[in-house]
Amino acid sequence: MTPQDVKNKQRIIYLLIALGFAGLIGAHEVAVYWPSAEDDTTIITAPFILAAAGTLCFVAAGLFAIMGASAAWTKSASTR
Protein backbone atom coordinates (compact mmCIF):
# COMPACT_ATOMS: atom_id res chain seq x y z
CA MET A 1 0.00 0.00 0.00
CA THR A 2 1.18 3.47 -0.78
CA PRO A 3 1.45 6.06 1.99
CA GLN A 4 -1.52 7.90 0.48
CA ASP A 5 -3.62 4.72 0.68
CA VAL A 6 -2.68 4.27 4.33
CA LYS A 7 -3.58 7.88 5.10
CA ASN A 8 -6.96 7.55 3.37
CA LYS A 9 -7.70 4.31 5.22
CA GLN A 10 -6.85 5.97 8.56
CA ARG A 11 -9.16 8.87 7.75
CA ILE A 12 -12.02 6.49 7.01
CA ILE A 13 -11.40 4.57 10.24
CA TYR A 14 -11.31 7.80 12.28
CA LEU A 15 -14.51 8.99 10.58
CA LEU A 16 -16.28 5.73 11.41
CA ILE A 17 -15.14 5.97 15.04
CA ALA A 18 -16.38 9.58 15.24
CA LEU A 19 -19.74 8.54 13.76
CA GLY A 20 -19.93 5.72 16.30
CA PHE A 21 -19.43 8.13 19.19
CA ALA A 22 -21.92 10.56 17.66
CA GLY A 23 -24.51 7.80 17.36
CA LEU A 24 -24.08 6.65 20.95
CA ILE A 25 -24.08 10.18 22.36
CA GLY A 26 -27.09 11.04 20.21
CA ALA A 27 -28.93 7.97 21.48
CA HIS A 28 -28.31 9.05 25.06
CA GLU A 29 -29.43 12.61 24.38
CA VAL A 30 -32.61 11.47 22.65
CA ALA A 31 -33.40 8.98 25.42
CA VAL A 32 -32.94 11.56 28.15
CA TYR A 33 -34.36 14.73 26.61
CA TRP A 34 -36.96 13.59 24.04
CA PRO A 35 -40.42 14.69 25.21
CA SER A 36 -43.08 12.07 24.57
CA ALA A 37 -46.32 10.68 25.91
CA GLU A 38 -46.38 7.66 28.17
CA ASP A 39 -47.67 5.32 25.46
CA ASP A 40 -45.36 6.60 22.72
CA THR A 41 -42.96 3.91 21.50
CA THR A 42 -40.63 6.36 19.73
CA ILE A 43 -38.94 7.06 23.07
CA ILE A 44 -37.51 3.54 22.84
CA THR A 45 -37.22 3.16 19.06
CA ALA A 46 -35.26 6.30 18.18
CA PRO A 47 -32.46 5.83 20.74
CA PHE A 48 -32.24 2.15 19.83
CA ILE A 49 -31.78 2.99 16.15
CA LEU A 50 -29.12 5.61 16.93
CA ALA A 51 -27.28 3.26 19.29
CA ALA A 52 -27.40 0.45 16.73
CA ALA A 53 -26.05 2.75 14.02
CA GLY A 54 -23.26 3.92 16.32
CA THR A 55 -22.35 0.37 17.24
CA LEU A 56 -22.30 -0.66 13.58
CA CYS A 57 -19.92 2.22 12.86
CA PHE A 58 -17.55 0.91 15.54
CA VAL A 59 -17.80 -2.61 14.11
CA ALA A 60 -17.15 -1.32 10.59
CA ALA A 61 -14.10 0.62 11.78
CA GLY A 62 -12.73 -2.46 13.52
CA LEU A 63 -13.30 -4.71 10.53
CA PHE A 64 -11.81 -2.13 8.19
CA ALA A 65 -8.72 -1.89 10.39
CA ILE A 66 -8.38 -5.67 10.68
CA MET A 67 -8.83 -6.19 6.94
CA GLY A 68 -6.23 -3.55 6.21
CA ALA A 69 -3.78 -5.08 8.65
CA SER A 70 -4.33 -8.59 7.31
CA ALA A 71 -3.94 -7.39 3.72
CA ALA A 72 -0.68 -5.66 4.60
CA TRP A 73 0.54 -8.75 6.47
CA THR A 74 -0.40 -11.04 3.57
CA LYS A 75 1.37 -8.78 1.10
CA SER A 76 4.53 -8.62 3.24
CA ALA A 77 4.47 -12.40 3.73
CA SER A 78 4.15 -13.02 0.02
CA THR A 79 7.11 -10.79 -0.83
CA ARG A 80 9.52 -12.70 1.44
Side-chain angles (χ1 to χ4, degrees):
M1 267 200 269
T2 65
Q4 186 63 32
D5 291 339
V6 172
K7 185 179 280 190
N8 288 340
K9 186 171 287 217
Q10 284 178 341
R11 287 180 182 162
I12 292 171
I13 291 170
Y14 293 148
L15 175 68
L16 287 170
I17 291 170
L19 287 174
F21 278 119
L24 294 179
I25 292 169
H28 176 264
E29 294 295 319
V30 167
V32 172
Y33 298 113
W34 189 309
S36 68
E38 291 295 323
D39 60 346
D40 191 12
T41 59
T42 59
I43 193 68
I44 295 173
T45 306
F48 178 74
I49 291 171
L50 284 171
T55 303
L56 286 176
C57 285
F58 283 126
V59 169
L63 289 175
F64 199 63
I66 290 171
M67 286 176 19
S70 67
W73 182 79
T74 304
K75 185 176 179 181
S76 70
S78 66
T79 57
R80 290 184 195 171

